[in-house]
Amino acid sequence: MRLNRGSMYFNAFMLIAMAFSTAACKQVTVAENPNFLKQKTLDDTHPRARLVLGSEKLAGNIRMANIKFRKVGLFTQAQVGIQNLSDVRYNLEYKVEWEDASGFMLDQSGAWQRFTLAPTQIDTVTTTGKVPEAYKVVFTVRLPDDPFIINNKYNK
């Protein structure tokens, strides 16, 4: 089979074009995206505790600290510090949920609890899993959308 010169040039051109288009593609990881770094709302650096920030304004300003676990009979107890890294006083709400060792939710009935964090303050929350399989704890912290809290903030 004999190829004419035109088809050889065309095939060579297509091969070079494909090589350049593949080399030009760069995969961007999530860590390289500056918007992601600015709006990080999940802290899962501890293997048994996770902090979920329910308000983007809290990203970079609230973190977990002094995480401890212990057994109390058959149940697991967790003590987690929630730290305010900013110079702003926050009126917040938190909810606690427990997971088993595989990451399956065990208790999703957590009620929202209100608390206040002064600048640089750490507030410690202690919670106990309701079933013996409870192994990991998930704290969700958010800014409440409540006119009473907003009015109370300005009256102090």
Side-chain angles (χ1 to χ4, degrees), residues 6-54:
S7 66
M8 284 187 355
Y9 288 129
F10 177 76
N11 289 340
F13 172 77
M14 290 302 292
L15 184 62
I16 292 170
M18 286 175 32
F20 277 116
S21 67
T22 305
C25 293
K26 179 186 177 213
Q27 292 183 353
V28 178
T29 63
V30 175
E32 293 173 343
N33 183 345
N35 290 331
F36 174 80
L37 292 176
K38 193 164 53 171
Q39 298 173 356
K40 188 174 180 185
T41 57
L42 176 67
D43 179 359
D44 57 358
T45 55
H46 192 279
R48 292 183 64 188
R50 186 168 60 234
L51 174 66
V52 178
L53 298 176

Side-chain angles (χ1 to χ4, degrees), residues 7 38 44 58 67 91 102 104 106 111 113 143 149 154:
S7 66
K38 193 164 53 171
D44 57 358
L58 299 177
I67 303 161
N91 292 306
S102 299
F104 285 91
L106 297 173
Q113 304 291 320
L143 290 166
I149 289 179
Y154 293 114

Side-chain angles (χ1 to χ4, degrees), residues 66-154:
N66 305 327
I67 303 161
K68 300 173 187 167
F69 288 88
R70 71 177 176 182
K71 285 302 240 180
V72 179
L74 294 175
F75 302 102
T76 302
Q77 188 174 60
Q79 189 175 60
V80 177
I82 307 296
Q83 183 177 17
N84 181 354
L85 300 173
S86 74
D87 324 354
V88 178
R89 179 176 180 239
Y90 283 116
N91 292 306
L92 301 167
E93 292 180 333
Y94 76 89
K95 178 172 68 168
V96 179
E97 297 171 318
W98 282 89
E99 297 177 345
D100 68 10
S102 299
F104 285 91
M105 280 288 175
L106 297 173
D107 177 26
Q108 295 181 333
S109 62
W112 290 99
Q113 304 291 320
R114 292 193 175 168
F115 71 112
T116 300
L117 279 178
T120 69
Q121 178 187 359
I122 298 177
D123 192 3
T124 302
V125 178
T126 302
T127 179
T128 304
K130 296 178 182 173
V131 295
E133 296 81 20
Y135 182 76
K136 299 178 184 180
V137 68
V138 179
F139 281 88
T140 303
V141 177
R142 70 180 183 187
L143 290 166
D145 187 20
D146 186 338
F148 174 75
I149 289 179
I150 294 169
N151 289 335
N152 191 23
K153 178 177 150 182
Y154 293 114

